[in-house]
Amino acid sequence: MIAIVPYQVDVGMSRWPIANFLLIATIVASHFVAMSVNTDPSALEPYILRDWSMSGMFGHMFLHAGLLHLFGNMIFLWTFGNAVCAKIGNWIYIPLFLALGLAAAVIHNLFDASPAVGASGAINGIVGMYLMFYPNNNVTCAYWFFFRIGTFYLSSIWIILLFMGFDAWGALRGGAGVAYWAHIGGLVTGAGLAAAGLLTGAIEMRKSEDSLLKLMGVTE
């Protein structure tokens, strides 16, 4: 058994990420509401991502395959979402999350015909935005390597590229029950939107913060 779970970032926040707190609470509550009607699975069918219906393309973000799936996604959303929410603002955060989930659903439908549930596509969009804002900031991770458990930290650009590499490898191998294309689509879309925000001045970095565009010499 090998697992890597990021759980903390060293990003100073200028505001409380209230919208991310509300989003996490809503997704968790949606899971338990869905489980309460599991005697009639057909009631959830319209909210599964399996075609181009709007109910499935939005609803899948609020359904999860089980507690482990839910917990893993919420850890990622907490770790990276708080910093992104604090950067872009509470009012825009949830609409942006939904837009990222929709973009991830489109990419999934284009490249993978398998049904899917879970917020991971949208969450990867948030991770892509985080990568653009804070590539050099450390991410602390817990790891489980067979019988050894511990923690380590690494610059976010490396840990996020590591996960992106896993997704790319999984997508090339054909999925195996994981919506890898949704992950990739969400991350690329999130990074692109963050870059656009920085280039247009809609999102501003503090002088002490180095965005990925700044490291690449695109902005000052």
Side-chain angles (χ1 to χ4, degrees), residues 57-210:
M57 293 184 73
F58 282 102
H60 77 281
M61 291 180 257
F62 299 91
L63 298 178
H64 286 81
L67 285 176
L68 187 60
H69 187 203
L70 175 68
F71 177 75
N73 273 350
M74 293 306 97
I75 286 290
F76 270 76
L77 185 54
W78 175 270
T79 302
F80 298 103
N82 286 340
V84 171
C85 182
K87 170 59 69 179
I88 68 175
N90 285 298
W91 291 107
I92 192 63
Y93 181 76
I94 292 179
L96 183 62
F97 179 89
L98 295 174
L100 290 168
L102 181 61
V106 169
I107 299 300
H108 175 82
N109 281 341
L110 289 174
F111 291 97
D112 189 343
S114 303
V117 294
S120 54
I123 294 169
N124 270 270
I126 297 297
V127 172
M129 296 190 75
Y130 180 94
L131 173 63
M132 192 59 61
F133 296 149
Y134 305 112
N136 271 344
N137 294 63
N138 287 331
V139 179
T140 304
C141 302
Y143 70 87
W144 180 7
F145 184 74
F146 293 100
F147 300 105
R148 185 178 180 84
I149 298 174
T151 63
F152 68 95
Y153 63 87
L154 200 62
S155 294
S156 62
I157 188 170
W158 299 117
I159 195 67
I160 292 172
L161 288 178
L162 174 65
F163 281 110
M164 189 175 181
F166 287 151
D167 285 332
W169 175 247
L172 292 174
R173 293 183 61 193
V178 178
Y180 291 114
W181 282 110
H183 296 181
I184 295 169
L187 192 142
V188 171
T189 302
L193 288 176
L198 292 171
L199 289 170
T200 59
I203 302 170
E204 295 182 355
M205 304 297 295
R206 291 182 288 188
K207 291 183 178 180
S208 60
E209 297 173 337
D210 293 329

